[in-house]
Amino acid sequence: MRILIVEDDAALARGVTGGLKLAGYAVDHVASGEEAVRLERAEPYGLVVLDLGLPDLSGFEVLTRIRRRGSTVPVMILTAREAVADRVKGLDLGADDYLLKPFDPAEFEARVRALMRRGQGTPVPELACGALRYDRSTATVTLNGRVLDLRKRELAVLEGLITRAGKVVPKDRLAGEVFGFDEPVAPNAIELYVARLRKKLEPDGPQIRTIRGLGYLMEGA
């Protein structure tokens, strides 16, 4: 899934972005509140990680604008402001989590996983479709107990499909969740990753059907 990092500390942003990419997420970074509001409106993010001390808008104002338009995207405030009043304000404005800097990377990633699950409406870490099991806490995929070796992009496509098993997922939506805006994407990239997944799920895994003109549908075997 795709994450938006809103942070004006370049060194911190590089570290957070790099860690999340290694964990398999597509990540975009901006240092401006105005740019964050614009991107969140336009792109299908699964999580926004938001600093409060931005150079133009405050993080509180960014959060207010996101919620005012009805967006339910999970938002984690990541800040050095430790005052209880700031924490209360952030949560009352609609933040889902509030984490203080400095932070432990392992705890940060665990919070990210929890917020992403909550945002998908599936708070449990394990997802299933037929004999296929996907443990999001360990990024482990098994089919009839056999561990599948999936590359990062294949895993991202799988997550986009299995979280909506039984429903059609538009190709553009899937691409928007898998790739960041600064990543070059070939026109047939999603088709390529879906084809690879199909091969790895054969012969007893769930089917990934192409619904012409609409997208992809994962069905239990």
Side-chain angles (χ1 to χ4, degrees):
M1 300 293 285
R2 193 167 168 190
I3 299 174
L4 176 62
I5 306 296
V6 189
E7 172 62 65
D8 66 334
D9 182 327
L12 177 60
R14 281 195 301 271
V16 170
T17 299
L20 289 173
K21 286 183 175 180
L22 284 175
Y25 298 102
V27 186
D28 298 331
H29 166 243
V30 295
S32 155
E34 290 283 4
E35 184 71 358
V37 172
R38 184 189 69 79
L39 275 178
E40 191 281 325
R41 184 184 299 116
E43 302 293 339
Y45 291 108
L47 175 66
V48 175
V49 179
L50 178 63
D51 183 28
L52 294 180
L54 301 171
D56 49 358
L57 303 178
S58 75
F60 290 136
E61 178 61 22
V62 173
L63 178 58
T64 297
R65 293 190 188 186
I66 288 174
R67 294 300 186 230
R68 185 184 294 151
R69 73 174 190 84
S71 173
T72 58
V73 62
V75 176
M76 177 198 294
I77 291 176
L78 188 63
T79 181
R81 298 189 191 179
E82 61 182 12
V84 172
D86 285 327
R87 283 183 257 179
V88 170
K89 182 176 181 179
L91 294 170
D92 281 347
L93 286 175
D96 300 272
D97 199 0
Y98 194 108
L99 182 61
L100 290 175
K101 304 172 185 174
F103 55 88
D104 182 88
E107 179 187 1
F108 170 71
E109 290 191 17
R111 288 173 181 249
V112 165
R113 290 192 295 271
L115 289 172
M116 298 282 273
R117 292 195 301 267
R118 192 183 308 164
Q120 294 169 343
T122 51
V124 295
E126 185 176 274
L127 300 174
C129 183
L132 184 69
R133 298 289 184 273
Y134 172 38
D135 187 335
R136 290 180 290 183
S137 64
T138 61
T140 303
V141 180
T142 59
L143 181 58
N144 285 325
R146 172 173 54 90
V147 176
L148 299 184
D149 181 17
L150 299 184
R151 295 182 180 274
K152 182 173 67 174
R153 297 295 187 205
E154 295 167 355
L155 189 63
V157 171
L158 174 71
E159 182 166 3
L161 293 172
I162 197 172
T163 55
R164 305 175 181 96
K167 299 178 182 179
V168 176
V169 184
K171 176 184 170 183
D172 290 346
R173 175 81 185 191
L174 198 56
E177 293 175 349
V178 171
F179 299 102
F181 64 74
D182 59 345
E183 296 176 288
V185 183
N188 65 337
I190 292 297
E191 288 95 332
L192 175 63
Y193 290 119
V194 169
R196 290 177 180 175
L197 271 178
R198 284 175 172 147
K199 288 183 179 180
K200 293 183 178 182
L201 294 177
E202 292 176 348
D204 49 354
Q207 292 186 334
I208 302 175
R209 294 175 51 203
T210 299
I211 310 300
R212 192 171 300 279
L214 295 177
Y216 298 99
L217 172 68
M218 177 175 279
E219 295 179 319

